[in-house]
C-alpha cells in the first residue's frame, strides 16, 4: 500500500466486491472477500480482528 494511499487501496477492494458477483453486504480485508451477509450487523460482528476493512453493499 505504499505510495498510493489508503484511498486507492480501498477503491481496489470496492471494485473487487463489485466484480465478485455476490449480492448483499460484502466484507473485504487485505484485498480478500471475507464474507457476504444479508444483514449489515452480521458483517460488522464478523470483523473481529484489528485491521482495515471495507464493508460495501452490492446489489
Amino acid at each position: 500500500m505504499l505510495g498510493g494511499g489508503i484511498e486507492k487501496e480501498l477503491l481496489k477492494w470496492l471494485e473487487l466486491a463489485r466484480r465478485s458477483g455476490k449480492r448483499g453486504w460484502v466484507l473485504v480485508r487485505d484485498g480478500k472477500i471475507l464474507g457476504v451477509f444479508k444483514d449489515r450487523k452480521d458483517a460488522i460482528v464478523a470483523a473481529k480482528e484489528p485491521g482495515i476493512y471495507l464493508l460495501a453493499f452490492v446489489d
Side-chain angles (χ1 to χ4, degrees):
M1 288 198 298
L2 295 174
I6 190 73
E7 295 89 358
K8 226 177 194 179
E9 192 68 19
L10 290 175
L11 286 173
K12 287 181 191 177
W13 295 4
L14 179 59
E15 190 60 28
L16 171 73
R18 287 181 179 161
R19 290 184 177 205
S20 71
K22 302 184 185 302
R23 298 186 183 277
W25 289 100
V26 180
L27 183 64
V28 182
R29 179 175 180 213
D30 296 329
K32 298 176 186 164
I33 295 176
L34 298 180
V36 180
F37 305 86
K38 284 186 177 185
D39 293 322
R40 182 177 176 264
K41 64 180 180 179
D42 294 334
I44 292 169
V45 170
K48 297 177 184 176
E49 306 217 0
I52 298 173
Y53 293 83
L54 174 77
L55 180 59
F57 187 77
V58 178
D59 59 353

